[in-house]
Amino acid sequence: MLQTYRDLFCEIFEIEEDELDSATPDTLDTWDSLHHMNLIAALEDEFDIEFEPEDVMEIVSFQSGMEVLKKYGVNF
């Protein structure tokens, strides 16, 4: 599941895996509201979950996305 999350994150934000640890809205030009919502939709589809609005806002990095997904039973 971790690889799936990595692949989605990299595809949506158009980055390489080695950029994941530093990926935030402040460090990626591609991280805008549209790409953020594309990530949310892709994660919901892939992992068959529905995020609460506060969890959507909590995803502000690759790592925070993992933490939010764990709350929904996605194990890495």
Side-chain angles (χ1 to χ4, degrees):
M1 294 216 180
L2 178 59
Q3 191 59 45
T4 301
Y5 175 52
R6 286 177 193 258
D7 291 346
L8 286 171
F9 203 97
C10 288
E11 179 182 333
I12 288 167
F13 292 115
E14 303 169 18
I15 61 171
E16 300 296 324
E17 277 195 39
D18 63 349
E19 298 175 84
L20 287 173
D21 289 337
S22 63
T24 69
D26 293 331
T27 61
L28 297 179
D29 290 337
T30 55
W31 196 320
D32 56 18
S33 58
L34 179 60
H35 284 90
H36 185 87
M37 293 313 297
N38 285 342
L39 176 66
I40 298 304
L43 295 174
E44 288 180 334
D45 287 346
E46 182 65 36
F47 297 111
D48 196 29
I49 57 178
E50 187 173 330
F51 290 116
E52 293 294 324
E54 57 271 5
D55 292 325
V56 170
M57 300 306 295
E58 206 173 298
I59 299 175
V60 293
S61 68
F62 177 76
Q63 194 64 37
S64 67
M66 286 179 62
E67 296 303 315
V68 170
L69 285 168
K70 286 178 186 177
K71 291 175 22 180
Y72 289 85
V74 178
N75 298 310
F76 297 101

